[in-house]
Amino acid sequence: MKRIIPAILIITLCAALLVGCARGGAAEVGFGPDGNWPSRITIVQMPDENNPHTAAQLHDAFRAGLQEHLGIEVEELLAFAFEVGLEALRAGNLDIILVTPMSFFQADMLTDGMIEPLVTWSAEGSAPYKTVFITRADRDDINSLEDLENRTFAFVNPASSSGFMYPMVHLVRELGRDADRLVESGYFFEAVAYSGSHDSSIMGVIMGDFDGAAVAYQLLGSLENAGLIDRSDLKIIAETELIPMPTFIIRSDLPQDLRDAILEFYLDFDDPEYFEALFGNPDMRFIRAYREDYDIIADMVRILNLEVN
C-alpha cells in the first residue's frame, strides 16, 4: 500500500490558526556589519496551549532579546498551516519556522534546498527519543525481532512517528520483508493491531493482549515514575536509531553572518521558565540541528513507499 503524506502538516502542535499578518514584500536591506542584512526578520514561535497568556509574555521576551542581539526588528507569528509557511518562505516573507522531521523533508524537497535546519532541543540526561520493541519479561520464547513471527503485535496508529513509521522502517530493514504487506495479518505477524496510544500498547503487552509492541522509549520511564507499570515486567528486544526532534528551519539565502548571529542567540538562550512552559522541562535547551540528522526521513519515504506532495 502506498501512503500519501500531504503537504498540509501543521508546523506547531496546535490548531492551524495564523495569528498576525506576514509582512508585505521583502524587508529593506542595508543593515548589519556588512550592510547586507534585512531591516526585519519574521519567526514562528511555539504556542503554549495550556497557558497562552504566559506563552505570549515569554515569546515577547524571547523576541525582544533576539531583536536586541541582532539590532534589527524581529516579528513573530504563532502557528499556521504548513503550506502557508512554505509559500511565505518562497516569497521571502518568513525566515524561521518550526517543522516536524517529515515537514522538513517536504520543505527541503519543494523549495530546492532553500532552507536548512537551525536548532532543535534536548536536555542533558533526558531519555533518548527512539522506539523500542517490547514483550513481557517472562516470554523466554521472544528475544529478537525474528521471534515475533506468527505473534500478535501492536503499533500505535499509522500516523504515529515513533509508534508506527520509524519501527516499520526498522522492521523492513532488519527482516527484509515487504513494507506494503508487513501490517497484513498472516504475512509476518499473526495479527497486527493499532492500540491508539503508547500507553495502551504497553499495558496490552503486560496484560498479554499483544505478544509485542513498538512504543516510544520515554513512555516506559514516564509510566513507571507514575506508578502505573513495573519496568521489570517488560523486556526490550530491539530498538530503532534515534528519532529526530522537530526543528526550527531558516532560509539559507539569508546572509551567513546573520544566520550565525541568530544561531548564537538560540544556543545561548538560557531561561528555565521559558523551557518549562513550552517543553515541560526547565532543563531543556536549544541545540544545533544538522541536515544529516534528518537523512532517515528520505530513507523512510523510500522504504515505506510514501508519496509526498
Side-chain angles (χ1 to χ4, degrees), residues 87 229 244:
E87 289 307 312
I229 67 168

Side-chain angles (χ1 to χ4, degrees), residues 135 139-154 184-186 188-193 209-212:
T135 189
R139 291 296 299 265
D140 295 333
D141 55 335
I142 302 179
N143 297 291
S144 67
L145 294 179
E146 289 78 9
D147 292 338
L148 291 172
E149 187 169 10
N150 297 321
R151 313 285 186 181
T152 57
F153 191 81
E184 293 179 8
S185 296
F188 176 76
F189 299 112
E190 177 186 353
V192 172
D209 297 329
F210 315 121
D211 295 316

Side-chain angles (χ1 to χ4, degrees), residues 8 94 118-119 192 196 253 273 304:
I8 55 173
L94 183 63
L118 180 66
V119 294
V192 172
D253 60 347
E273 183 182 358
L304 299 184

Side-chain angles (χ1 to χ4, degrees), residues 145-199:
L145 294 179
E146 289 78 9
D147 292 338
L148 291 172
E149 187 169 10
N150 297 321
R151 313 285 186 181
T152 57
F153 191 81
F155 293 105
V156 173
N157 67 64
S160 172
S161 293
S162 58
F164 181 75
M165 292 184 181
Y166 288 92
M168 273 288 290
V169 168
H170 191 77
L171 286 166
V172 171
R173 284 174 169 170
E174 294 299 311
L175 300 176
R177 297 297 181 116
D178 186 342
D180 289 339
R181 298 192 60 199
L182 197 52
V183 294
E184 293 179 8
S185 296
Y187 173 66
F188 176 76
F189 299 112
E190 177 186 353
V192 172
Y194 295 104
S195 70
S197 72
H198 294 270
D199 296 16

Side-chain angles (χ1 to χ4, degrees), residues 143 158 228 230 239-240 256 288:
N143 297 291
L228 298 176
D230 184 339
E239 62 185 44
T240 68
Q256 182 64 57
R288 184 75 170 93

Side-chain angles (χ1 to χ4, degrees), residues 147-291:
D147 292 338
L148 291 172
E149 187 169 10
N150 297 321
R151 313 285 186 181
T152 57
F153 191 81
F155 293 105
V156 173
N157 67 64
S160 172
S161 293
S162 58
F164 181 75
M165 292 184 181
Y166 288 92
M168 273 288 290
V169 168
H170 191 77
L171 286 166
V172 171
R173 284 174 169 170
E174 294 299 311
L175 300 176
R177 297 297 181 116
D178 186 342
D180 289 339
R181 298 192 60 199
L182 197 52
V183 294
E184 293 179 8
S185 296
Y187 173 66
F188 176 76
F189 299 112
E190 177 186 353
V192 172
Y194 295 104
S195 70
S197 72
H198 294 270
D199 296 16
S200 296
S201 289
I202 293 168
M203 297 306 298
V205 169
I206 291 175
M207 299 298 294
D209 297 329
F210 315 121
D211 295 316
V215 298
Y217 175 65
Q218 305 99 310
L219 265 295
L220 297 180
S222 297
L223 293 182
E224 183 171 51
N225 291 338
L228 298 176
I229 67 168
D230 184 339
R231 283 279 296 273
S232 65
D233 290 336
L234 297 167
K235 66 179 173 181
I236 296 172
I237 59 172
E239 62 185 44
T240 68
E241 59 191 288
L242 293 180
I243 298 173
M245 298 290 287
T247 177
F248 283 94
I249 61 175
I250 188 169
R251 284 174 43 210
S252 57
D253 60 347
L254 291 173
Q256 182 64 57
D257 56 348
L258 174 56
R259 283 180 281 149
D260 291 343
I262 293 170
L263 174 63
E264 179 183 42
F265 180 82
Y266 270 90
L267 296 182
D268 290 343
F269 187 69
D270 187 13
D271 183 349
E273 183 182 358
Y274 179 93
F275 290 98
E276 171 70 26
L278 273 300
F279 299 92
N281 185 344
D283 298 324
M284 284 287 181
R285 293 296 182 270
F286 291 118
I287 60 174
R288 184 75 170 93
Y290 297 95
R291 185 175 295 274

